[in-house]
């Protein structure tokens, strides 16, 4: 039989694995919620721990903890944040909807680490680590800390790197003229650099939306305690903790002006994830454009080449597929699904508390991580190696009947349509069709239909 120790909580005795740093409430959750394999994300755990450190510092300054206890809690938090204790946070997402058990998991691990650091100290998970707090304000606070941190430190660097690659490609391909397409049909010419600039601005606009929409995530529920009243928390606690967190994380946080709203609503998460969905939609469009333009090698559009990273088929030798595009679009699909889950979760919960918080933050952080990683992979393994196939672009440009659009101001829409229809039906060039119809001379046609003047 595995070794265990006896822990106690308000419901009685609990057997806990002997080497575990968690206590009775964590163990009860571990036993009672054997649902799925999705663990509480480590960014949430780290956010809870840095929050406990900030609360200990403020409690110490406000006289709610003695200096020794506050310092010991801070030391234990630093040890966890340094890494190596991930196995002591075993709880799944599918637990209480308030995240109470994950809050207690953090409290218990910190308290047990304090005992290891100083066996004489008596640090209690609730009385000391959780002083001036409730799970109802700590968990939504941790959600916001984790969301802001992951956006700023993980997603934006990947996004900015991809934007930089597109900006480079835009400059390099500015003089390359190609046929445009609307409705998957030939349209008028444009510069390949102009097409790339559209992709770049899509990502820059998404970044601006994310920065603007994440402002609400900087408002923290801490200080509201159980239902928003701030019971058992000293006056000014929320403001002081927000200031402490800003210093500890390097990201600005603010005490939510209305704690009742902060506990019961997840609108800030919904709003920010909407911007993540917009980014996903733009990435889906860019990835699809790339794989269309790279289709071939002999029977597709073939207007660009992309890096050949791995064999594409188990049966067709030599086949190479646009796998980075496929991975990016699958990530985008997952984000779109996550958005639906977050929206539904935010609409639920009764009275003073939303009780769908773990699933909401799980999906938000998954979206952030997926997009960050997928953009980094796409950038390194695909976008950075995009090369224009000038010969194919010029061939498509010559063959497009939509160059006829340049004739409209000179011969009118109806005559131009006849030229296009004749060329298409007889499989001739536009010039041949126009001359045979007698609408223009060869010199006039060459002067008017010049792709370099159409972009």
């Amino acid at each position: 039989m595995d070794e265990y120790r006896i822990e106690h909580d308000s419901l009685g005795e609990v057997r806990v694995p002997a080497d575990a740093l968690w206590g009775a409430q964590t163990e009860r959750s571990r036993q009672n919620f054997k649902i799925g394999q999705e663990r509480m994300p480590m960014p949430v755990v780290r956010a809870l721990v840095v929050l406990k450190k900030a609360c200990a510092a403020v409690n110490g300054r406000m006289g709610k903890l003695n200096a020794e206890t506050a310092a010991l809690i801070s030391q234990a938090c630093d040890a966890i944040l340094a890494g190596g204790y991930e196995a002591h946070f075993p709880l799944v997402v599918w637990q209480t909807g308030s995240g109470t058990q994950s809050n207690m998991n953090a409290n218990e691990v910190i308290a047990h680490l304090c005992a290891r650091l100083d066996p004489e100290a008596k640090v209690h998970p609730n009385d000391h680590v959780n002083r001036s707090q409730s799970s109802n304000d700590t968990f939504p606070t941790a959600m916001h800390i984790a969301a802001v941190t992951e956006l700023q430190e993980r997603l934006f660097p990947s996004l900015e790197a991809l934007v930089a690659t597109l900006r480079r490609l835009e400059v390099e391909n500015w003089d390359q003229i190609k046929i445009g397409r609307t409705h998957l049909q030939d349209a008028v010419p444009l510069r390949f650099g102009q097409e790339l600039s559209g992709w770049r601005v899509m990502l820059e606009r998404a970044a601006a939306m994310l920065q603007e929409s994440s402002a609400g995530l900087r408002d923290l529920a801490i200080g509201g305690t159980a239902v928003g009243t701030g019971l058992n928390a000293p006056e000014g606690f929320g403001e002081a903790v927000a200031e402490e967190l800003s210093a500890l994380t390097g990201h600005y946080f603010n005490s939510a002006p209305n704690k009742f709203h902060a506990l019961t609503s997840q609108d800030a998460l919904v709003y920010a994830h909407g911007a993540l969905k917009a980014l996903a939609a733009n990435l889906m469009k860019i990835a699809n454009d790339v794989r269309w333009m790279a289709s071939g090698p002999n029977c597709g559009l073939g207007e660009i080449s992309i890096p050949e990273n791995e064999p594409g088929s188990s049966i067709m030798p030599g086949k190479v597929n646009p796998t980075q595009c496929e991975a990016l679009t699958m990530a985008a699909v997952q984000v779109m699904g996550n958005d639906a889950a977050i929206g539904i979760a935010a609409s639920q919960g009764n009275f003073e508390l939303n009780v769908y918080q773990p699933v909401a933050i799980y999906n938000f952080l998954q979206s952030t991580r997926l997009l960050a990683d997928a953009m980094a992979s796409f950038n390194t393994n695909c976008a950075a190696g995009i090369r224009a196939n000038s010969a194919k672009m010029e061939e498509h440009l010559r063959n497009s009947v939509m160059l006829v659009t340049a004739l409209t101001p000179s011969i009118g829409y109806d005559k131009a349509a006849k030229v296009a229809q004749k060329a298409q039906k007889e499989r001739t060039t536009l010039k041949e069709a126009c001359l045979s119809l007698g609408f223009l001379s060869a010199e006039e046609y060459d002067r008017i239909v010049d792709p370099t003047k159409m972009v």
Side-chain angles (χ1 to χ4, degrees), residues 160-320:
E160 290 161 5
L162 182 53
V163 167
T165 294
L166 294 179
R167 186 178 292 110
R168 171 180 62 79
L169 291 171
E170 178 185 340
V171 173
E172 292 174 357
N173 292 280
W174 189 255
D175 294 330
Q176 177 66 57
I177 300 173
K178 66 183 290 291
I179 200 66
R181 295 181 180 86
T182 58
H183 303 273
L184 290 180
Q185 305 295 307
D186 299 348
V188 297
L190 79 165
R191 298 179 185 275
F192 185 33
Q194 291 173 321
E195 191 167 35
L196 288 160
S197 76
W199 298 351
R200 171 181 58 79
V201 173
M202 290 170 75
L203 299 186
E204 290 175 338
R205 287 293 300 274
M209 291 176 195
L210 275 165
Q211 291 286 18
E212 189 276 332
S213 65
S214 63
L217 296 172
R218 298 180 186 276
D219 286 347
L220 302 181
I222 195 69
T225 62
V227 296
T229 63
L231 180 67
N232 292 348
E235 186 176 352
F237 184 76
E239 291 76 8
V241 171
E243 185 177 346
E244 185 76 16
L245 284 166
S246 299
L248 289 174
T249 64
H251 303 296
Y252 171 75
F253 290 105
N254 176 65
S255 178
N258 187 304
K259 299 299 190 297
F260 305 101
H261 166 264
L263 268 61
T264 196
S265 175
Q266 292 297 326
D267 52 9
L269 210 68
V270 172
Y271 187 31
H273 196 275
L276 284 174
K277 183 173 71 170
L279 173 60
N282 284 343
L283 289 168
M284 172 80 82
K285 182 262 190 294
I286 292 168
N288 279 333
D289 281 357
V290 168
R291 60 178 166 185
W292 268 106
M293 292 172 68
S295 60
N298 298 323
C299 302
L301 295 180
E303 291 185 339
I304 62 172
S305 64
I306 57 177
E308 298 181 347
N309 297 321
E310 64 275 319
S313 173
S314 61
I315 189 173
M316 293 175 279
K319 194 171 190 293
V320 179

Side-chain angles (χ1 to χ4, degrees), residues 297-445:
N298 298 323
C299 302
L301 295 180
E303 291 185 339
I304 62 172
S305 64
I306 57 177
E308 298 181 347
N309 297 321
E310 64 275 319
S313 173
S314 61
I315 189 173
M316 293 175 279
K319 194 171 190 293
V320 179
N321 295 330
T323 52
Q324 290 294 321
C325 298
E326 292 164 6
L328 182 56
T329 54
M330 284 193 290
V333 166
Q334 184 64 51
V335 171
M336 293 173 190
N338 287 350
D339 193 71
I342 290 171
I344 295 169
S347 72
Q348 301 300 305
N350 301 312
F351 304 114
E352 276 64 60
L353 188 68
N354 178 282
V355 290
Y356 291 72
Q357 295 180 57
V359 69
I361 192 59
Y362 176 84
N363 280 279
F364 188 97
L365 294 176
Q366 185 190 56
S367 293
T368 304
R369 177 66 178 264
L370 281 176
L371 291 180
D373 289 353
M375 282 190 292
S377 181
F378 180 76
N379 184 37
T380 300
N381 300 308
C382 183
I386 288 175
R387 299 291 182 268
N389 184 342
S390 297
K392 182 62 72 173
M393 287 185 177
E394 290 164 9
E395 176 188 341
H396 290 162
L397 189 63
R398 289 194 306 270
N399 292 337
S400 174
V401 297
M402 287 303 102
L403 295 179
V404 75
T405 306
L407 294 174
T408 303
S410 299
I411 66 175
Y413 186 93
D414 291 341
K415 287 183 177 180
K418 289 180 180 179
V419 171
Q421 290 162 357
K422 181 178 178 65
Q424 186 73 13
K425 182 177 180 179
E426 297 178 4
R427 298 295 178 184
T428 65
T429 66
L430 284 174
K431 183 176 182 178
E432 290 170 338
C434 188
L435 296 183
S436 70
L437 289 169
F439 292 155
L440 291 172
S441 68
E443 293 76 13
E444 289 172 325
Y445 181 93

Side-chain angles (χ1 to χ4, degrees), residues 44-220:
V44 176
V45 172
R46 289 193 294 270
L48 280 168
V49 173
V50 77
L51 174 60
K52 299 299 175 180
K53 179 176 178 177
C55 289
V58 173
N59 276 319
R61 291 199 297 269
M62 291 186 167
K64 298 298 179 180
L65 288 176
N66 64 54
E68 293 76 13
T69 300
L72 197 58
I73 291 172
S74 178
Q75 188 178 352
C77 291
D78 286 340
I80 296 169
L81 294 171
Y85 291 94
E86 290 79 6
H88 296 279
F89 297 91
L91 301 188
V92 296
V93 171
W94 320 107
Q95 54 167 280
T96 175
S98 62
T100 296
Q101 290 146 4
S102 281
N103 178 53
M104 284 308 305
N105 185 191
N107 291 333
E108 290 175 344
V109 172
I110 292 168
H112 278 91
L113 267 180
C114 288
R116 283 190 179 182
L117 293 168
D118 182 358
E120 300 300 318
K122 301 297 182 184
V123 177
H124 192 277
N126 299 82
D127 294 339
H128 301 119
V129 185
N130 202 59
R131 177 65 62 88
S132 307
Q133 306 153 62
S134 162
S135 296
N136 292 354
D137 65 347
T138 59
F139 197 81
T141 295
M143 290 169 64
H144 282 202
I145 295 169
V148 169
T149 301
E150 289 294 287
L151 286 173
Q152 296 297 325
E153 298 181 8
R154 185 180 293 276
L155 186 129
F156 280 110
S158 293
L159 180 51
E160 290 161 5
L162 182 53
V163 167
T165 294
L166 294 179
R167 186 178 292 110
R168 171 180 62 79
L169 291 171
E170 178 185 340
V171 173
E172 292 174 357
N173 292 280
W174 189 255
D175 294 330
Q176 177 66 57
I177 300 173
K178 66 183 290 291
I179 200 66
R181 295 181 180 86
T182 58
H183 303 273
L184 290 180
Q185 305 295 307
D186 299 348
V188 297
L190 79 165
R191 298 179 185 275
F192 185 33
Q194 291 173 321
E195 191 167 35
L196 288 160
S197 76
W199 298 351
R200 171 181 58 79
V201 173
M202 290 170 75
L203 299 186
E204 290 175 338
R205 287 293 300 274
M209 291 176 195
L210 275 165
Q211 291 286 18
E212 189 276 332
S213 65
S214 63
L217 296 172
R218 298 180 186 276
D219 286 347
L220 302 181

